[in-house]
Each structure stands twice: as C-alpha cells, then as structure tokens.
Amino acid sequence: MKLVSIKETNNFSKKISNILKKGDIIFLYGEIGVGKTTFVRFLINNLQEASGVKKSEVLSPTFNIVYDYDVKKVKILHYDLYRLKNYNDILELGMFETSENHIKIVEWPELIKFKPKDRIDIKFKYAKNGDSRKVEIFGLGKYKYYKLNEI
C-alpha cells in the first residue's frame, strides 16, 4: 500500500480502527519521521470520535515512554520504546501484564524479545521520492487470517 498524503494516512487509520477490539496489539516499525506517530494520532482520534469521546491531543510518548487514552470502556496505551536501551527496560514497563480492556500501540518494538503471538505489525517505509510512504501490514497469530493488505 502507498500513502501519498495526510488524508490517505487518516483514511488508512480509520480502516484499522474499524477492526480493533479490546486486547489488540499493534507494533509499528519504521524510521524516525516516517509517520508512525501521525498514524497513531489519527487512529486514536478516530476511535474516540466513533465512541463519542472528545478527541485528545495525541503526543509522541518518546520522553514519557507511554501515554494512555480513554475511549469509553477501552484504554489505549501508546508506547514509544525508542529511548530504551535494553530488554530489561521493557520488562520494567509491564506492558504485557494487562490486556483485556486495553489496545496497545507500540512504536519501536524491535527490543521486545518475546513478542506476543497475536498482533498486527505495520511497517512504514519512505518511498523512493520521499514524498510518500509504503506501508506493509502483517497479521500474526489470530490476525493472520484477516485480509489486512486489502485494507
């Protein structure tokens, strides 16, 4: 898939938001500035709008590591692991201890040694011209039968 504008990124996030449920986990991969946080901002705001919840200002959690957002009975946890140095730092977060009433979105998940088997991986890459992005989506575990690349 190719995203050539902010509007297309928002439309893509709406499609993903329509399939998300409590307990879901999304891992986001890609270089700095490729659009991961922009995608997350749209995703969270689309979920809030669909639930009748006031839209939040969605910030990059680079310095705080995690921000949480309430969407009715679901809490969205947005992690950015960029500043973490090793797997022990991730263990201290306890990010996989709770999941039933949460949707977890993780930027920079490369340090996670034991990744949950049920998750959606989204990889953002700069296109050759630099003005657009290539996006690849992989469903793993219970998501492998989703037709994610048709989104």
Side-chain angles (χ1 to χ4, degrees):
M1 169 185 305
K2 191 173 184 180
L3 303 174
V4 296
S5 69
I6 292 289
K7 184 176 180 179
E8 285 186 9
T9 302
N10 187 24
N11 290 338
F12 171 59
S13 73
K14 279 183 186 176
K15 291 175 183 178
I16 296 294
S17 71
N18 288 333
I19 66 168
L20 290 179
K21 300 178 292 302
K22 292 178 190 178
D24 286 352
I25 299 169
I26 298 175
F27 282 179
L28 301 175
Y29 296 87
E31 297 176 53
I32 290 176
V34 78
K36 297 180 301 293
T37 301
T38 299
F39 166 80
V40 173
R41 184 174 297 117
F42 286 134
L43 180 73
I44 291 171
N45 286 163
N46 287 324
L47 288 168
Q48 289 172 326
E49 186 175 18
S51 298
V53 174
K54 183 182 176 194
K55 289 183 183 180
S56 300
E57 181 180 354
V58 177
L59 305 170
S60 174
T62 300
F63 296 103
N64 287 10
I65 311 296
V66 64
Y67 283 124
D68 61 88
Y69 303 89
D70 290 317
V71 180
K72 297 255 176 170
K73 296 179 182 179
V74 178
K75 184 175 288 251
I76 300 170
L77 298 171
H78 177 204
Y79 294 88
D80 185 325
L81 307 181
Y82 182 74
R83 290 183 40 235
L84 300 183
K85 302 297 179 212
N86 60 58
Y87 185 63
N88 288 333
D89 293 341
I90 292 170
L91 289 176
E92 288 180 23
L93 291 173
M95 62 191 299
F96 298 116
E97 292 173 7
T98 60
S99 63
E100 284 183 20
N101 294 320
H102 297 82
I103 292 172
K104 296 178 183 165
I105 305 167
V106 183
E107 295 186 46
W108 303 99
E110 289 84 351
L111 277 180
I112 300 173
K113 289 181 184 176
F114 303 103
K115 294 176 174 61
K117 68 175 182 130
D118 297 322
R119 67 182 192 274
I120 297 170
D121 285 358
I122 303 177
K123 297 180 180 183
F124 291 85
K125 296 179 183 176
Y126 288 104
K128 288 183 182 178
N129 66 6
D131 291 341
S132 60
R133 309 296 188 255
K134 287 183 173 182
V135 179
E136 296 176 333
I137 311 165
F138 304 93
L140 301 157
K142 69 182 181 181
Y143 301 101
K144 73 180 182 179
Y145 299 107
Y146 279 57
K147 296 183 179 185
L148 295 171
N149 284 313
E150 295 177 13
I151 286 180

